[in-house]
Amino acid sequence: MESEDHSMVDAPNGVTQPQLSGNAEDAFGIQPSKEDTDMVAEEFEPEEGWEELNSVKRRGLLPTGVCYDDRMKLHANADFGHAPHHPEDPRRVEEIMKTFKKAGLVFTGPDTELLDILRNTPIKYMWRIVAREATKQEICTVHTAGHYDWVQDLSNMSTKDLRNLSHTLDQGRASLYVGAMSYEAALLSAGGAIETCKAVASGQLKNAFAIIRPPGHHAEYDSPMGFCLFNNVPIAAKVCQLEYPDTCRKILILDWDVHHGNGVQNMFYQDPNVLYISLHVYQNGEFYPGKPDNPMLPDGDLDKVGEGLGKGKNVNIAWPDQGMGDGEYLAAFQKIVMPIAHEFNPDLVIISAGFDAADGDELGGCFVTPPCYAHMTHMLMSLANGRVAVCLEGGYNLKAISQSALAVARTLMGEPPPQMGMPPLSKEAARVLARVQAVQAPYWECMRPGIIDIQEYGDGATRLHDVIRGYQRQILSQKHGMVPLFIQREALFKSFENQVLVTPGIQTKRKVLFIIHDPPELQAMPDVTDNTVDPHNAFTLDGVMNYVDWANKNDFGVIDANVPHYITHPEDIDPFTPRADEKTLQDQIRELVCYIWDNYLQLYDVEDLFLLGVGNAYLGVKVLLTNRNCKNRIAGVVNFVTGNLRPVKSETDPDLSSWYKRNSLVFVANDHACWSDEELAKKVSKKRFGRVKRSNQVGLNRMMEEHAAEVHEWIGERLSQDGSGNTTEEDGK
Ligand SMILES: [Zn+2]
């Protein structure tokens, strides 16, 4: 076998120390002796009594390791005729090693210089870790003997049989190919991972990178899967735990491959001493590896947290879709990965380093850049005394994996990660992180601030928006004698109890103000240490109240309809509930305003009916105007808008938009997006949006306060003095 990078040392068994060499061509393996490190350390010795500081220094002077063996390229597809360009290409490992050499991370000079390098600049280059074949005993720490035998048998099969087997295995979830040398390559890959992790766990090396293939993280305890034969990282983790029971008890496996490492998860699902954190695309179970055939087995969803003693030791950061990038990965590290990892406090960190989330990898479809990989590595190096072992998993764009791996290796060697800004985080990803936090909160102290278990409170918990509405009802009842208006509904929920309040004797009023508004704004100053909110540090701002007072003073009948952002259901168990979506909101509002129109307003003898829409709920104004032929009975419309601008138009009534333009006053917040460019601002001036005015204020309450006098005056001018004039014919002010 002619291969330049094949180390010719006899493979040591699993118990002996790994051999380290300064370069690829070195066939003897040189260990960094105690003398070597002492010599260097002495030069920096400041004074006596600094032993502690000195020992820290010495760890920093340990070299970074790299494990590579050309023979791992020999795992190739026997079914070469059918799929000549399989993404799990043997060149993947070679490209990474070449890139390391080109970048000067691995020594390529003559052997004669080696001794000088070892003495003078031992950490200038990566130290070579010799890959060896893993033993059956090591592999069977996580795999069944039956699975080991199955892989071993591959080396005894005929080419024809291998080709047929590859063809079969390539289908569906198994997604695998095999060849005559697959068994040997898989043994080396697992053995390389073992030696790499052991060299780091034992403290011989500062940290290390294993450039290995075939990858491992999809391989199950009893079967191969997803380009993976033996699950390298779990094997290495188990061997380290067995060989260094005192110093390597707790291990963090951080998997940033774009696919979920189902095999790793399942092998440690009940293990309290191995924390598995995976960042991967989930796509509701559609993205590989998807859901297992057995529905009882856990998949990569974020609610899969481990079982028994292992509860909380499995963290799935499951992205809703492809397209994630630096912003999402850095946020996941800052908000979830690092807080949990620090609380776990591992003795060793192993990175299952697939680079298929890298920018440029078509299979992954994500956009993680090399600087981001450097930062993630750097953060992980703050754990476990810096004992970080990186093991290659997937990643199929040769350029992307080489550059990403290079960024990781440089960081391991001590180069500071490149400066980068914090890119924006997508809303969907932010929601996923919040859900992961909520799901993990029972198991991790650091995930708890801000998470409430409302089930624990039972009937004692009332959502604040219902409390506030109850309070508003009391105030409006005391001040103006207002009472709830009966609304017939199919189901009665708490949020409906006080939803619509009216002044007494409204049916006899000549003037009526119908207010459709959002719940009042809530502001709170949470305690910065634990996120709790004291009632005395929380405030409600209710700009509507002044308008109700004004209307009552001026002898208007008032209908006050509160549109909650969410309808409280008794079976709610989620402490955080997003606002109702547009469709739900529209259905709710239509039901409400049409009921009020059909059963009350339409029947009243009102001369001057005004609509006041506040916030998101101003959708109700549009819904009423477009669903009921009522414009001739409405004297004017006033809206305060901070969110979506709603067009009012009708196919059956072509005059509706121009009527709306003439008879409305629509205040739009000063910071609204529609003012951001000329095109949009021009669009807003169209009839269907009404008479839009840019407020000089932001926020509903400040806007309502600012324009109160103007609105009062405008309404006053539109009132029919003698009850005979048709105000709707007048043009606006
Ligand atoms: Zn992958």
Side-chain angles (χ1 to χ4, degrees), residues 585-597:
L585 182 71
Q586 183 148 349
D587 291 348
Q588 276 168 15
I589 290 191
R590 186 191 303 119
E591 196 189 334
L592 182 71
V593 296
C594 290
Y595 185 90
I596 293 174
W597 177 261

Side-chain angles (χ1 to χ4, degrees), residues 151-166:
V151 181
Q152 188 178 32
D153 283 348
L154 295 175
S155 51
N156 301 322
M157 285 170 78
S158 71
T159 311
K160 185 164 168 267
D161 287 348
L162 284 168
R163 199 174 299 163
N164 289 337
L165 185 59
S166 272

Side-chain angles (χ1 to χ4, degrees), residues 448-495:
R448 253 163 256 165
I451 298 293
I452 307 166
D453 185 358
I454 58 163
Q455 272 175 298
E456 207 174 80
Y457 299 139
D459 293 340
T462 311
R463 286 183 189 264
L464 194 56
H465 73 159
D466 295 331
V467 174
I468 290 172
R469 189 58 183 164
Y471 160 80
Q472 285 180 322
R473 179 210 162 153
Q474 209 183 343
I475 296 288
L476 291 173
S477 156
Q478 275 169 8
K479 272 186 168 175
H480 309 299
M482 290 173 79
V483 290
L485 185 71
F486 173 75
I487 309 281
Q488 191 173 15
R489 299 180 193 275
E490 281 177 19
L492 278 179
F493 297 123
K494 188 143 185 79
S495 302

